[in-house]
Amino acid sequence: MVDKETLKKNIEDVMERIEMACLRAGRKPDEVSLLGATKGVDVETIKLANQFGLKIFGENRVQEFLPKFQELPYLEWHFIGRLQTNKIKYIYDKVSLIHSIDSPQQIDELEKRCTKAGKTCSVLIEINIGGEESKGGINPEKVDHLIEKIINCPHVILKGFMTIPPIEDDDMKLRGYFRKMKEIFEKYKKLNYNNVNIEVLSMGMSGDFEVAIEEGATLVRIGTKIFGERPKK
């Protein structure tokens, strides 16, 4: 984990790199949001990161998120990891955005919980753009089916899409995955339903966020470049 000064410098450096990537792509820097991925990061470090200008925080595991939320309920939290349907009840009313929706069962459970609580929940559909068996997300061909499901669940608000592309040394292959996602994003942005407002394209992490921004990401999820290498379990 990083010390205070390194943390501050890392956040400034990432923000500067986001700005430069936006300029290269002819975009405004305020078009891209930065999320700090806090898996394995302690509460004190998260507090400091917030003081140093980081506004959005993302957790991968429900059991790690809940105690952090209890101590820092005032922060903007997103859930960015794979989400089991039976864990939805613990987080649906605590996070601003769930990035990893990829099944009708999750949507049904969210609708049930939100209806009962008189709330709504904003989500992204996770797309498995590289067709990797080890990753969550749906095949791009199944997006229509999942959106139809969401349209019939008025308490679930679809905000856009998320992806984790395959790790690639080949820059053009990597860009190809991000470009496919941008095409999907642009296609569905035109939809006009009460609970569908496509404005978020969550893609790009510590190793590829600049390429993702150049290809159209509106939100990048950065862990290691901000918080350093996390201790291995």
Side-chain angles (χ1 to χ4, degrees):
M1 210 64 73
V2 295
D3 59 61
K4 186 175 177 178
E5 286 310 309
T6 307
L7 180 66
K8 186 170 187 285
K9 187 180 177 304
N10 286 354
I11 291 169
E12 287 168 357
D13 179 56
V14 167
M15 286 177 168
E16 192 177 323
R17 286 171 67 179
I18 288 171
E19 195 171 328
M20 295 307 291
C22 285
L23 292 174
R24 284 195 298 276
R27 302 177 66 193
K28 294 175 185 162
D30 64 4
E31 288 177 32
V32 180
S33 300
L34 169 61
L35 174 150
T38 50
K39 181 170 82 173
V41 180
D42 62 88
V43 165
E44 290 310 312
T45 304
I46 295 170
K47 275 186 195 168
L48 276 176
N50 184 230
Q51 287 168 26
F52 295 146
L54 199 57
K55 302 292 184 215
I56 309 170
F57 299 85
E59 278 291 329
N60 289 68
R61 297 190 182 103
V62 172
Q63 63 269 35
E64 192 180 335
F65 163 66
L66 292 172
K68 289 178 184 177
F69 178 80
Q70 213 163 4
E71 291 205 49
L72 304 168
Y74 53 86
L75 296 181
E76 180 178 340
W77 289 101
H78 292 193
F79 191 82
I80 59 176
R82 289 179 87 165
L83 181 59
Q84 293 166 286
T85 305
N86 63 356
K87 297 279 175 71
I88 283 173
K89 61 183 175 228
Y90 299 115
I91 68 159
Y92 78 96
D93 56 348
K94 297 176 180 70
V95 295
S96 301
L97 190 62
I98 296 173
H99 289 228
S100 47
I101 293 298
D102 63 2
S103 78
Q105 291 81 5
Q106 290 169 322
I107 296 162
D108 280 336
E109 179 67 13
L110 272 173
E111 180 65 17
K112 184 180 89 179
R113 297 276 166 192
C114 289
T115 303
K116 205 171 172 183
K119 293 179 177 291
T120 58
C121 185
S122 295
V123 303
L124 305 180
I125 290 174
E126 181 177 355
I127 295 177
N128 189 338
I129 201 66
E132 295 175 283
E133 283 182 23
S134 61
K135 286 181 181 162
I138 58 164
N139 185 296
E141 278 72 57
K142 293 183 177 169
V143 172
D144 279 344
H145 175 66
L146 221 50
I147 289 180
E148 277 171 32
K149 179 80 183 167
I150 289 171
I151 288 165
N152 292 306
C153 294
H155 296 83
V156 180
I157 314 296
L158 179 60
K159 290 286 191 180
F161 305 99
M162 183 268 259
T163 199
I164 304 170
I167 294 166
E168 281 291 352
D169 294 329
D170 183 334
D171 185 65
M172 287 318 292
K173 271 191 185 170
L174 184 60
R175 284 183 190 277
Y177 291 126
F178 288 140
R179 280 174 191 166
K180 270 191 212 164
M181 285 299 301
K182 181 68 158 74
E183 284 167 18
I184 292 166
F185 176 71
E186 290 297 336
K187 176 184 172 182
Y188 290 101
K189 232 166 79 167
K190 302 178 180 80
L191 288 179
N192 185 16
Y193 294 92
N194 287 338
N195 65 328
V196 177
N197 178 23
I198 308 285
E199 56 186 11
V200 179
L201 182 54
S202 170
M203 60 185 192
M205 301 192 291
S206 286
D208 59 12
F209 71 94
E210 287 153 303
V211 178
I213 289 167
E214 288 167 10
E215 298 302 339
T218 71
L219 186 153
V220 292
R221 311 177 304 273
I222 311 293
T224 307
K225 280 276 188 288
I226 291 174
F227 300 107
E229 292 290 343
R230 259 57 67 84
K232 297 279 185 281
K233 293 278 185 197

